Amino acid sequence: MNPSSFISVAFRGVFGGFVLDAAFTTPTHGVTALFGPSGCGKTTVLRCIAGLQRLADGYCAVNGDVWHGGRSFRPVHQRPIGYVFQEPGLFPHLTVTGNLLYGAPGRSPLRPGDPAGFDEVVALLGLEKLLDRAPRKLSGGERQRVAIGRALLSRPQLLLMDEPLSALDPQARDEVLPFLRRLHDSLSLPFIYVSHDMREIEQLADHLVLMRAGRVLAAGPLGELQGDPALPLASRRDAAVTLDAVVSAYDPAYGIAMLAVDGGCFTAPMRRSVVGGRRRITVAAGDVSLAREAPRATTVLNTLPVRILSATPAAEHEIVAVLGLGPAGAGSRILARVTRLSWENLRLAEGNELYAQIKSVALVRECAK
Amino acid sequence: MNPSSFISVAFRGVFGGFVLDAAFTTPTHGVTALFGPSGCGKTTVLRCIAGLQRLADGYCAVNGDVWHGGRSFRPVHQRPIGYVFQEPGLFPHLTVTGNLLYGAPGRSPLRPGDPAGFDEVVALLGLEKLLDRAPRKLSGGERQRVAIGRALLSRPQLLLMDEPLSALDPQARDEVLPFLRRLHDSLSLPFIYVSHDMREIEQLADHLVLMRAGRVLAAGPLGELQGDPALPLASRRDAAVTLDAVVSAYDPAYGIAMLAVDGGCFTAPMRRSVVGGRRRITVAAGDVSLAREAPRATTVLNTLPVRILSATPAAEHEIVAVLGLGPAGAGSRILARVTRLSWENLRLAEGNELYAQIKSVALVRECAK
Amino acid sequence: MNELPPDVWIAVRLTVGLAAITTLILLLVGTPLAWWLARTEAWWKEGVAAVVAMPLVLPPTVLGFYLLVALGPDGPGGAIAALWGGRTLAFTFGGLVIGSVIYSLPFVVQPIRNAFEAIGERPLEVAATLRASPRRVFWTVAVPLARPGFLTGAVLGFAHTVGEFGVVLMIGGNIPGSTRVLSVAIYDYVETSQWREASILAGGMVVFAFVVVFAVMLAGKRLMRVAE
Amino acid sequence: MNELPPDVWIAVRLTVGLAAITTLILLLVGTPLAWWLARTEAWWKEGVAAVVAMPLVLPPTVLGFYLLVALGPDGPGGAIAALWGGRTLAFTFGGLVIGSVIYSLPFVVQPIRNAFEAIGERPLEVAATLRASPRRVFWTVAVPLARPGFLTGAVLGFAHTVGEFGVVLMIGGNIPGSTRVLSVAIYDYVETSQWREASILAGGMVVFAFVVVFAVMLAGKRLMRVAE
Amino acid sequence: GQTNVAVAANFTEAAKEIATAFRAKTGHDAILSFGSTGQLYTQIKQHAPFQIFLAADEDRPKQLVDEGLGVASSRFTYATGRLVLWSKNPDLVRGADTLRGNGFSRLAIANPIAAPYGAAAVEALRALGVYDRLQPKIVRGANVVQTFQFIDTGNAELGFVALSQLIGNNSGSRWQIPQNIYTPVRQDAVLITTGVDNEAATAFMDFLKGPGARGILEKYGYAAGASDGGHDE
Ligand SMILES: Nc1ncnc2c1ncn2[C@@H]1O[C@H](COP(=O)(O)OP(=O)(O)OP(=O)(O)O)[C@@H](O)[C@H]1O
Ligand SMILES: Nc1ncnc2c1ncn2[C@@H]1O[C@H](COP(=O)(O)OP(=O)(O)OP(=O)(O)O)[C@@H](O)[C@H]1O
Ligand code: MOO
Ligand SMILES: [Mg+2]
Ligand SMILES: [Mg+2]
């Protein structure tokens, strides 16, 4: 573990009645999501990383550079970050173009073909018609898109985003998220991404930092934390597990891909795909149903042999089961959420080997990896 | 149709390059959601209803009272509305309590036991510890919760909310939404609710106004619009249909209810329920799979006979089918989204009668009706 | 200080009274004017704003002369004074107040107007949706949020009234106990080159004004911070 | 107008020059001071703010006297004047500029300070995250957003400099062509009861100042609106 | 050559005419700066660039001489002012009886502390025995000019002004105060030490004493020189 490809932070401080005591280390190759309930300190941590808040007891190092530690403190404007604030914070005296180019080096449109070039960002965010507009004449979502574009165009080496998509409709979100992911991949641009939307995190993030009441509950790879029944994620209504898969076959006629993960193979619709390419899939606990026998003649494409590794009661009459893929359950883990009624009807128990049915369309998030 | 229980609006105007030409009528018994992409004019319509924007060519009548029409224009402060702005807009010079009570009649905590009483609203929104805090010391989500509480405590007769929950985490959202619904039901308080989150709308709304580019695409009961394959909703990735059901049986031991809808009966986990009570259920198109035969021994609780009424291609390799519940398909309509591969494998076609499998846990939103 | 004649203390009292009353009236008159300037969309409002600033441009003696005419028997002031049997508003404390108000008005109106404008629409809109009448919006939202402007206006208006003597000398008539304020008393010392006495008085004035201004500013700061 | 002697035009030129240069210097000096007052957390900053307001409290002749001493042979001004062989900075155009700047400073500092404070932290934070240096943040964000404060400061400073004559008379000495500005020229007419001439000049001053102030305010408004 | 002359404000108009005549006769320029006597004195002490000081009293020139800034031998009384009781009301002023009566509410005088005409007015009022009774009615102008304006605008019904201020003004009613009930207002001139070598300055001092100036002085209501014949120290 080379310290030069990690972000390491540790912040301790008191704000009125709020005590922050958060420390984590996360790789800079990949997107790190900061997740936790309202008021748990996500924004505060992000501000500390940006240098907007200076704590006496703080440490922050990015790729081996110490930005904050002991007496040394690098001022905000010398940190190569992009920051999307929770509220858009556009400059009211500049047009949209003026805002977009404020932080752009040389302050001119960048070379064409650049994945984060002016035209590309403007087109992706749908800002073409707004360029000469004053910020106060924009809608809420338009403002937030300009703020995202402005941060991207400043050519950051670390992008800090505080719930950037919360004002966007799902369509816009579905366009912006893959773009951010592509940006991350093609520029190797590390992100720290605050969100309260697990769906966004599943699409975008590789690493997760779970926060609660000013503290870090857990930090690690997204899939691991999602599948850990000891963490609160697994018992959430929207519990899901994200897996990395390899495309093992593709049928362009039907747009269906075979996605191999450890211990099994999923079938999923996919527009285009290259055999051997990597894909991320998310399996929602609520989308997984269990059957003693493999069913026939159904539109459910995915029926996989699994083994129940553990089972935890969730809510009042529900059970969350951790399933190991493959007949012996030795492969990747996914979660299944079933009613206690079904559980007892089928006489399910830990160690059982059975079939998991997963509706294919619920599987893939359109994010190139 | 008594005009005294409708909101009728018609607004025409030009804002720079944006042309608003929106007219709809929606009942005041029930929650109306305004839905559409960023920049389509949702906020503008809400502002016109509130009287914050005065168009020369505008009409607005609520329960038979003309608020705006011809030369007459009732000023904002004489309209009995509550308005939650897209940005919280707290008064920076008042504490949280001061903000909450600013619009409260008599400006004192209200009688206990009131569903919209001070203590109830504070507890529900989790503001107990913040009451003496200045707004600038709140997190983004906390600010938004205070804004919601402030609007509620002003005892409005019509609540206008502009994406009020976009800064809330899912847990908080899952608490606030049912509360809003209860408030609506117990106070018969009509809402107009702007959201870009279909999940929220399914939980809360009875009526839907679909907007696009300054115009109203369609307005009507939520379920109808959701199931209409001619509207863009049905081909969305998150397409779903909301149905009203009656609890026909309840098993408290397992917390499982039988929910009868026209043409079928769903089984769903439910904490508590009264036989004969009404429940709202949402069936996501992606949660519905089709089978030629009724499967056995699976945790899928719901297997219903259906008939394919129509099928429309969606995306590249997917098909959205409108299903009629019941063997003849004469009952309620739901949507199913299947891959073209499955469709052809099973040789499905319009008019086929088969079985729909729906995972029960995906069914019910916890909203008392 | 004991070298100063006792009537200095009368002048001190007068000065404090004049500055306090003038500042109060300036706020009362300047606030609605500032609000109107901040909110109206009339195209000629900048003209009105410029007119308010004009008394500043006139040398105090010239302004004083015009005021002398206006307050005198042939001007409106004479008509008003006639109501209680007077001939003129000049040489009265009330006349001084009028003159000081006119002369210091721009220092009060402009900062308050700017503060009102800096509030923006949103808080006013929010208050209206909470069914606050325009009057309540003004008092409970606009005024508290414009507090820095009020502070600045009050401080500038107060300080200027304490220090101004051109106008005061002209319309006051230097009558001990009624129009002989401190600045006029100092002027007498200056004219007779009694610099020592002038400096003592001036020093006292500065110390007094400093204390008042400093206290007002600190208090304003404190008030502006909402309870934690 | 043709009844006015030709040296009035010299006074007009002097006045316009004095007001323009003074306003410019006021902005140059007042802006950093206002910025410091708006941003520092030093507890004594309100003290500094109060000190800036103090020249206002002094009657102009008293202030003029102190300035006369300070600019004179025994004060720092004399030392500076000695550099080019002069004995005093008083009775020079430069001396007038210094006096006017000190006297009008609070009118410029306070409104600009308020405007800086009204901006809030957020735009400055945003600019810093876009890697704008503090200098760039100041010029491209703080100054444009504080424009109403600059306008008010410039207008009050300009008008006050045009009208003020107590200090100017004292430290300038009413020397034609070098320190005899319009307000002093008017004073001369007033002293000899040439009210007709005084009124013509005063009227011209008011009209001129009105045009300047009105134009500045309109231009400021215009600039404040971002391109549509 | 040219010389800078500091002129007491009340002498403004006469001084202008004298400067014109001076230039016509000698070809020298006298550049006039006007101000109140006290202020001009202060400025000269602070090395104002004046070579000549035409004061409105005797004290300040003498003080300058005592302080070494004025040339002792040059000091002389160039004019003596006369005090007049004046009202815009043509019927009000009827000699000393007016002051003894109650026909007015405000009596304007120049500030006796600072202005010689004010001191003279107080002297006259005391001599007439009405000062204490009239005290509450008195308003004080900063100088004779303001005093004149108080009366001219009607704010004060009557008051003491300098005769020079009423030249060319025949309005209202007036009473020229007998010279024996007040000390004449002697206005002294002095050459500042910086003007000793200035040819124009010494020429102006000479001109001021000469017949050319005398006519102008009288035209403006002053008595040339010390009307009672020189200094009484
Ligand atoms: N003064 C103006 N000039 C030009 N266009 C304007 C003006 N004011 C608003 N608009 C445009 O009107 C449209 C509608 O704005 P509105 O705020 O109602 O959108 P919205 O539906 O609420 O969007 P969002 O979901 O992003 O908040 C936007 O496209 C906006 O750019
Ligand atoms: N000055 C202060 N005094 C007291 N509490 C404070 C202060 N500043 C912040 N807090 C508290 O610190 C906590 C963390 O705030 P932060 O903005 O980091 O939350 P967040 O995780 O970003 O929440 P959200 O999702 O709602 O934006 C909040 O509970 C807030 O109330
Ligand atoms: O001339 Mo004087 O000196 O004061 O009026
Ligand atoms: Mg936050
Ligand atoms: Mg909006």
Side-chain angles (χ1 to χ4, degrees):
Chain A
M1 301 256 287
N2 178 351
S4 73
S5 50
F6 285 88
I7 299 170
S8 239
V9 306
F11 297 114
R12 256 172 232 93
V14 176
F15 302 85
F18 176 73
V19 181
L20 181 75
D21 181 3
F24 60 85
T25 294
T26 188
T28 46
H29 56 271
V31 173
T32 298
L34 227 58
F35 183 79
S38 174
C40 71
K42 307 180 294 293
T43 298
T44 310
V45 166
L46 225 54
R47 288 176 59 84
C48 289
I49 296 176
L52 291 168
Q53 203 114 45
R54 181 177 184 164
L55 296 179
D57 186 2
Y59 177 82
C60 172
V62 176
N63 286 339
D65 282 359
V66 177
W67 287 1
H68 181 189
R71 217 77 59 70
S72 87
F73 183 85
R74 193 187 286 197
V76 185
H77 69 281
Q78 286 167 12
R79 303 188 182 197
I81 53 163
Y83 195 120
V84 180
F85 286 78
Q86 203 167 355
E87 297 93 32
L90 300 186
F91 297 123
H93 62 299
L94 298 178
T95 60
V96 168
T97 305
N99 270 281
L100 287 172
L101 292 180
Y102 187 87
R107 262 170 287 165
S108 64
L110 302 163
R111 59 210 136 95
D114 185 325
F118 184 81
D119 295 339
E120 286 73 10
V121 167
V122 165
L124 182 276
L125 295 167
L127 304 176
E128 299 93 337
K129 288 189 181 159
L130 309 177
L131 290 176
D132 296 326
R133 195 91 60 80
R136 67 192 162 82
K137 296 186 175 169
L138 298 178
S139 81
E142 288 163 352
R143 271 196 281 271
Q144 205 158 5
R145 283 181 272 151
V146 175
I148 295 170
R150 182 174 62 179
L152 291 177
L153 290 172
S154 77
R155 308 251 126 191
Q157 283 160 39
L158 169 63
L159 197 52
L160 306 171
M161 305 182 100
D162 198 351
E163 309 196 9
L165 306 188
S166 65
L168 294 198
D169 55 298
Q171 255 125 326
R173 203 181 288 209
D174 281 352
E175 287 169 27
V176 174
L177 271 176
F179 171 79
L180 290 178
R181 184 73 215 182
R182 278 201 305 282
L183 215 61
H184 169 270
D185 294 339
S186 60
L187 300 178
S188 312
L189 175 62
F191 284 19
I192 297 185
Y193 188 94
V194 170
S195 178
H196 53 244
D197 184 343
M198 214 47 204
R199 297 286 84 80
E200 274 178 34
I201 293 181
E202 286 159 5
Q203 264 182 276
L204 192 61
D206 303 293
H207 315 288
L208 187 63
V209 176
L210 264 185
M211 288 193 62
R212 180 143 310 174
R215 299 176 164 273
V216 173
L217 220 56
L222 174 63
E224 258 177 44
L225 265 57
Q226 285 181 310
D228 184 344
L231 290 177
L233 288 180
S235 50
R236 288 165 61 100
R237 176 166 290 276
D238 60 355
V241 174
T242 305
L243 302 173
D244 284 321
V246 176
V247 179
S248 59
Y250 184 66
D251 176 351
Y254 290 101
I256 294 283
M258 300 286 286
L259 295 158
V261 300
D262 185 15
C265 190
F266 289 88
T267 307
M270 207 174 276
R271 297 245 174 115
R272 251 166 307 281
S273 198
V274 182
V275 172
R278 302 187 67 81
R279 275 286 177 167
R280 154 176 299 199
I281 60 180
T282 296
V283 181
D287 284 347
V288 178
S289 44
L290 297 173
R292 285 275 171 203
E293 301 159 39
R296 291 147 298 154
T298 143
T299 56
V300 178
L301 287 178
N302 293 292
T303 305
L304 286 91
V306 296
R307 181 192 179 120
I308 298 178
L309 300 180
S310 70
T312 326
E316 213 173 337
H317 297 293
E318 288 177 349
I319 284 165
V320 172
V322 180
L323 310 175
L325 294 185
S332 300
R333 292 166 177 211
I334 62 172
L335 296 177
R337 183 193 195 88
V338 297
T339 58
R340 199 154 59 83
L341 180 64
S342 303
W343 186 265
E344 295 186 2
N345 276 348
L346 293 178
R347 286 185 304 279
L348 299 179
E350 290 186 15
N352 283 181
E353 294 183 3
L354 21 71
Y355 294 92
Q357 275 188 304
I358 302 141
K359 263 218 82 179
S360 60
V361 288
L363 254 178
V364 167
R365 310 273 158 182
E366 289 279 340
C367 270
K369 179 77 207 271
Chain B
M1 302 255 285
N2 179 352
S4 73
S5 50
F6 285 88
I7 298 169
S8 236
V9 306
F11 297 114
R12 256 171 234 93
V14 177
F15 303 83
F18 176 73
V19 181
L20 182 75
D21 182 3
F24 61 84
T25 296
T26 190
T28 45
H29 57 270
V31 173
T32 299
L34 227 58
F35 183 78
S38 173
C40 72
K42 306 180 293 294
T43 298
T44 309
V45 166
L46 225 53
R47 287 176 60 84
C48 288
I49 296 176
L52 291 168
Q53 202 113 44
R54 180 177 186 164
L55 296 179
D57 187 1
Y59 177 82
C60 173
V62 176
N63 285 340
D65 283 358
V66 177
W67 287 1
H68 181 189
R71 217 78 59 68
S72 86
F73 183 84
R74 192 187 287 196
V76 185
H77 69 281
Q78 287 168 10
R79 303 186 182 198
I81 53 164
Y83 196 120
V84 180
F85 286 78
Q86 203 166 356
E87 298 93 31
L90 299 186
F91 297 123
H93 61 299
L94 299 178
T95 60
V96 168
T97 304
N99 270 281
L100 287 173
L101 292 180
Y102 186 88
R107 261 170 288 164
S108 64
L110 302 164
R111 60 209 135 96
D114 186 326
F118 184 81
D119 294 339
E120 286 73 12
V121 167
V122 165
L124 183 275
L125 295 167
L127 304 176
E128 298 93 338
K129 288 189 182 161
L130 310 176
L131 290 176
D132 296 326
R133 194 88 65 77
R136 66 192 164 79
K137 295 185 175 169
L138 299 178
S139 81
E142 288 163 350
R143 270 196 281 270
Q144 207 158 3
R145 283 182 272 151
V146 175
I148 295 170
R150 182 173 63 177
L152 290 178
L153 290 173
S154 78
R155 306 253 126 189
Q157 284 160 38
L158 169 63
L159 198 52
L160 306 171
M161 305 183 99
D162 200 349
E163 308 196 9
L165 307 187
S166 65
L168 295 199
D169 55 298
Q171 254 125 325
R173 203 180 289 207
D174 281 352
E175 287 168 27
V176 174
L177 271 176
F179 171 79
L180 290 178
R181 184 73 216 183
R182 277 201 306 283
L183 214 60
H184 169 268
D185 294 339
S186 60
L187 300 177
S188 310
L189 175 62
F191 284 20
I192 298 186
Y193 189 93
V194 170
S195 177
H196 53 244
D197 184 341
M198 214 48 203
R199 296 286 84 79
E200 275 178 33
I201 292 180
E202 286 157 5
Q203 266 182 276
L204 192 61
D206 303 292
H207 314 287
L208 186 65
V209 176
L210 264 184
M211 287 193 63
R212 181 143 309 174
R215 298 175 165 273
V216 173
L217 221 54
L222 175 61
E224 258 176 45
L225 266 57
Q226 285 182 310
D228 184 345
L231 292 176
L233 289 180
S235 49
R236 288 165 59 100
R237 175 167 291 277
D238 59 356
V241 173
T242 304
L243 301 173
D244 285 320
V246 175
V247 179
S248 59
Y250 184 65
D251 177 351
Y254 290 102
I256 294 282
M258 300 285 285
L259 295 157
V261 301
D262 184 16
C265 191
F266 290 88
T267 307
M270 207 175 278
R271 297 246 173 117
R272 248 168 308 282
S273 198
V274 183
V275 172
R278 301 188 68 79
R279 274 288 176 167
R280 156 175 297 199
I281 59 180
T282 296
V283 182
D287 283 348
V288 178
S289 43
L290 297 173
R292 285 276 172 200
E293 300 161 38
R296 293 148 297 157
T298 143
T299 57
V300 177
L301 286 179
N302 292 291
T303 304
L304 286 91
V306 297
R307 180 192 178 118
I308 300 177
L309 299 179
S310 69
T312 327
E316 214 173 335
H317 297 293
E318 288 176 350
I319 284 165
V320 172
V322 180
L323 308 174
L325 293 186
S332 299
R333 292 164 178 212
I334 62 171
L335 296 177
R337 183 193 196 90
V338 297
T339 58
R340 200 154 60 79
L341 179 64
S342 303
W343 186 265
E344 294 186 4
N345 275 348
L346 293 179
R347 286 183 305 277
L348 299 179
E350 290 185 13
N352 283 181
E353 295 182 3
L354 20 70
Y355 294 91
Q357 277 189 303
I358 302 141
K359 263 217 80 177
S360 60
V361 286
L363 254 178
V364 167
R365 308 273 159 183
E366 290 280 341
C367 271
K369 181 73 203 276
Chain C
M1 280 292 209
N2 43 6
E3 304 127 31
L4 294 174
D7 61 356
V8 159
W9 297 108
I10 300 174
V12 167
R13 259 206 304 284
L14 262 184
T15 304
V16 173
L18 177 67
I21 292 177
T22 301
T23 306
L24 195 74
I25 295 181
L26 280 170
L27 291 176
L28 290 181
V29 172
T31 303
L33 188 53
W35 181 245
W36 180 82
L37 286 171
R39 306 287 307 166
T40 184
E41 285 176 3
W43 62 268
W44 41 279
K45 70 168 173 175
E46 295 306 337
V48 174
V51 164
V52 169
M54 282 311 103
L56 265 188
V57 170
L58 290 173
T61 39
V62 176
L63 181 66
F65 178 75
Y66 292 144
L67 281 171
L68 210 50
V69 172
L71 297 176
D74 304 327
I80 294 169
L83 296 181
W84 53 88
R87 294 188 63 245
T88 170
L89 286 182
F91 316 131
T92 64
F93 185 75
L96 286 196
V97 171
I98 294 175
S100 301
V101 165
I102 291 177
Y103 197 43
S104 296
L105 197 57
F107 302 138
V108 178
V109 170
Q110 272 300 336
I112 299 181
R113 172 191 174 174
N114 287 353
F116 278 143
E117 285 176 348
I119 295 175
E121 284 294 318
R122 184 46 56 91
L124 311 179
E125 288 188 351
V126 170
T129 66
L130 292 165
R131 285 194 285 303
S133 63
R135 170 189 298 267
R136 183 160 179 245
V137 173
F138 179 77
W139 287 110
T140 60
V141 178
V143 168
L145 289 180
R147 196 173 278 134
F150 282 96
L151 276 185
T152 293
V155 163
L156 293 181
F158 179 86
H160 195 243
T161 303
V162 168
E164 170 45 30
F165 81 108
V167 172
V168 163
L169 206 54
M170 192 72 163
I171 63 180
N174 198 350
I175 303 171
S178 119
T179 62
R180 189 181 196 222
V181 293
L182 219 40
S183 59
V184 171
I186 294 183
Y187 177 77
D188 287 350
Y189 286 123
V190 169
E191 284 296 290
T192 51
S193 301
Q194 293 178 267
W195 286 108
R196 211 181 108 73
E197 289 79 359
S199 292
I200 291 172
L201 269 196
M205 258 165 103
V206 165
V207 169
F208 163 74
F210 181 86
V211 168
V212 169
V213 165
F214 189 59
V216 165
M217 281 177 166
L218 274 192
K221 272 279 139 100
R222 187 103 354 126
L223 272 176
M224 234 166 304
R225 269 187 228 123
V226 164
E228 308 291 291
Chain D
M1 283 292 207
N2 42 7
E3 304 127 29
L4 294 174
D7 59 356
V8 159
W9 297 110
I10 300 175
V12 167
R13 261 206 303 284
L14 263 183
T15 305
V16 173
L18 177 66
I21 292 176
T22 300
T23 306
L24 196 74
I25 295 180
L26 279 169
L27 291 176
L28 291 180
V29 173
T31 303
L33 187 53
W35 181 245
W36 179 82
L37 285 171
R39 307 289 304 166
T40 184
E41 285 175 4
W43 63 268
W44 42 278
K45 72 169 173 174
E46 294 308 336
V48 174
V51 164
V52 170
M54 282 310 105
L56 267 188
V57 171
L58 290 173
T61 38
V62 176
L63 180 66
F65 174 74
Y66 293 141
L67 283 171
L68 205 53
V69 172
L71 296 175
D74 307 325
I80 295 170
L83 297 180
W84 53 87
R87 301 195 63 238
T88 170
L89 283 184
F91 317 115
T92 64
F93 184 77
L96 287 194
V97 171
I98 294 174
S100 302
V101 164
I102 290 176
Y103 196 44
S104 296
L105 197 56
F107 303 138
V108 178
V109 169
Q110 271 300 334
I112 299 181
R113 173 191 173 175
N114 286 352
F116 279 143
E117 284 176 348
I119 295 175
E121 283 294 318
R122 184 48 54 94
L124 311 178
E125 289 187 351
V126 169
T129 67
L130 292 165
R131 285 193 286 303
S133 63
R135 171 189 297 267
R136 185 162 175 242
V137 173
F138 179 76
W139 286 110
T140 60
V141 178
V143 168
L145 289 180
R147 196 174 276 134
F150 282 96
L151 276 185
T152 293
V155 163
L156 293 181
F158 179 86
H160 196 242
T161 303
V162 168
E164 170 45 31
F165 84 109
V167 172
V168 161
L169 200 59
M170 192 69 166
I171 63 179
N174 195 353
I175 299 169
S178 112
T179 62
R180 188 182 200 208
V181 293
L182 217 40
S183 59
V184 172
I186 294 182
Y187 173 77
D188 287 348
Y189 284 123
V190 170
E191 288 293 289
T192 52
S193 298
Q194 292 179 271
W195 284 107
R196 213 180 109 69
E197 289 79 357
S199 293
I200 291 172
L201 269 195
M205 256 166 102
V206 166
V207 169
F208 162 73
F210 181 87
V211 167
V212 169
V213 165
F214 189 58
V216 166
M217 280 178 168
L218 274 191
K221 274 278 139 106
R222 187 103 352 126
L223 273 174
M224 235 165 302
R225 272 187 223 122
V226 164
E228 308 291 292
Chain E
Q2 70 174 49
T3 181
N4 288 64
V5 185
V7 183
N10 76 69
F11 199 63
T12 302
E13 278 173 286
K16 280 183 184 165
E17 199 166 328
I18 288 172
T20 308
F22 172 64
R23 185 187 156 84
K25 184 167 178 224
T26 65
H28 295 304
D29 276 326
I31 297 171
L32 308 177
S33 293
F34 309 101
S36 77
T37 301
Q39 182 181 354
L40 292 170
Y41 163 78
T42 303
Q43 288 174 332
I44 290 165
K45 283 191 67 175
Q46 295 297 325
H47 305 276
F50 302 130
Q51 287 91 43
I52 292 170
F53 180 27
L54 304 188
D57 64 5
E58 317 172 84
D59 301 345
R60 255 62 76 98
K62 181 167 179 298
Q63 263 173 281
L64 284 179
V65 169
D66 292 346
E67 285 155 356
L69 287 164
V71 178
S73 59
S74 69
R75 186 165 74 94
F76 76 105
T77 300
Y78 64 93
T80 302
R82 295 183 187 129
L83 195 62
V84 179
L85 179 66
W86 176 61
S87 168
K88 276 204 22 175
N89 180 342
D91 305 318
L92 185 57
V93 176
R94 293 277 177 264
D97 291 343
T98 309
L99 292 171
R100 295 196 182 98
N102 276 321
F104 56 91
S105 57
R106 288 292 183 199
L107 171 68
I109 65 172
N111 188 348
I113 300 172
Y117 287 96
V122 171
E123 243 185 297
L125 288 171
R126 283 196 202 285
L128 294 170
V130 294
Y131 181 71
D132 291 332
R133 190 176 64 85
L134 290 181
Q135 177 88 318
K137 294 187 175 181
I138 290 177
V139 294
R140 292 162 195 83
N143 49 39
V144 272
V145 176
Q146 265 188 19
T147 310
F148 176 84
Q149 285 157 4
F150 287 168
I151 305 160
D152 194 36
T153 56
N155 285 289
E157 291 102 317
L158 74 174
F160 289 93
V161 297
L163 178 60
S164 60
Q165 294 176 295
L166 295 174
I167 295 304
N169 177 346
N170 295 318
S171 68
S173 49
R174 65 190 66 186
W175 175 46
Q176 192 164 333
I177 312 300
Q179 299 263 356
N180 55 0
I181 65 168
Y182 70 98
T183 314
V185 182
R186 291 203 192 101
Q187 307 200 172
D188 277 13
V190 69
L191 184 67
I192 312 300
T193 46
T194 53
V196 174
D197 300 327
N198 185 319
E199 192 192 338
T202 44
F204 188 85
M205 290 297 278
D206 290 340
F207 183 79
L208 201 54
K209 289 175 190 151
R214 180 180 304 260
I216 297 171
L217 284 167
E218 275 162 4
K219 181 171 136 203
Y220 279 96
Y222 298 95
S227 55
D228 56 351
H231 292 125
D232 33 41
E233 69 216 73

